[in-house]
Amino acid sequence: MIDGRTDLRGFVFPDPLQMGDARVGGSTFRAISAFPEFERVHWRDIDFSGAVMRNARFTESTIERCLFTGADLFDWRLWGSRILDTSFQRADLAGSAIGTGPYRDAGINIWARVDFDRANMSNAVASECVFLDCSFRRSKLRGVWFTHVTFDGVVFEGVLQRVKFAAQWSEGKRNPGPMRNADFRGVRFRDVDIRYRFENVVFDDTDDIPVIRDYRTVLTRALEMARASRDPRENAQVDLLEVLADHAGDYDTVLVTADFRGLGYDLHEPALVNLVKRAQGDAG
């Protein structure tokens, strides 16, 4: 025991066994035996710091008051599970499926009071899950797309790059509700798109963070201004504003730093920024 937890620090779980290779259509596929699978387990008060536990699968399970500090948890996948009062500080969760939608009668994954500080969560899948009172300080979230996710009491810090937060509701998907009690102060945004209704969500108060409130109204007004303008630089923003307006959705507040330069657009173009600011003034 260590600090009241079962001591499994540095424990190495066996890798999946390679069963052999098969060639199909000129390509070679590697046949793998079962990944480590845990069904309806309840892990409580265990210290897995520094453990190696790659490719684990959890279904209808609970992980409670555990430590995974610095653990190698690459490609974890969870369905219908609860992770409570647990720390993943500096853990490697890259490529993991942390939100996978409803699973049988167990529902969706719930992460409550979880510390992801400095964890590597690059390219993780986060769809239809819940984060309650979770911390993402200096987490590596590059390539993560949070879709239909419920956020309440979350803190982000550091650089967010190539991250999408999308709450759009569609047939067969749960409504995640608004993003509540979220703190983005101290975040630097690089190619980030947040589309939610906000309740008590705070950002640094700087002109560098393009938070657009009353989003649909502002875009519609900015588009009208661009079309009517005698300034050719503002006229040139019509195409991009039409794209943004067509995908506005039902959001009352949006943060957009998405990189459209590959499509020939620049969200930091002074003419566009000026149009949006004027439109926000009219809407405000």
Side-chain angles (χ1 to χ4, degrees), residues 184-187 202-207 209:
F184 287 91
R185 289 174 296 187
V187 172
V202 293
F203 300 89
D204 281 333
D205 187 17
T206 72
D207 290 337
I209 301 176

Side-chain angles (χ1 to χ4, degrees), residues 53-92:
M53 188 180 179
R54 298 164 66 89
N55 310 114
R57 273 70 173 129
F58 296 86
T59 55
E60 300 181 81
S61 296
T62 299
I63 298 174
E64 184 177 6
R65 297 199 302 266
C66 292
L67 298 180
F68 293 91
T69 306
D72 184 353
L73 312 176
F74 175 80
D75 192 37
W76 266 30
R77 306 198 178 190
L78 304 96
W79 295 269
S81 295
R82 308 288 183 268
I83 300 83
L84 313 172
D85 302 294
T86 291
S87 175
F88 293 90
Q89 281 195 17
R90 303 192 307 280
D92 185 0

Side-chain angles (χ1 to χ4, degrees), residues 78-81 96-103 107-111 121 123-131 143-151 164-168 170 172-176 196:
L78 304 96
W79 295 269
S81 295
S96 294
I98 57 180
T100 49
Y103 183 79
I108 61 178
N109 292 337
I110 295 178
W111 304 76
M121 303 171 70
N123 299 308
V125 175
S127 177
E128 292 190 272
C129 61
V130 175
F131 294 104
V144 178
W145 195 334
F146 296 97
T147 57
H148 313 290
V149 171
T150 296
F151 293 98
K164 312 297 182 187
F165 300 80
Q168 71 266 29
S170 59
K173 297 290 186 180
R174 62 182 291 276
N175 186 346
Y196 267 79

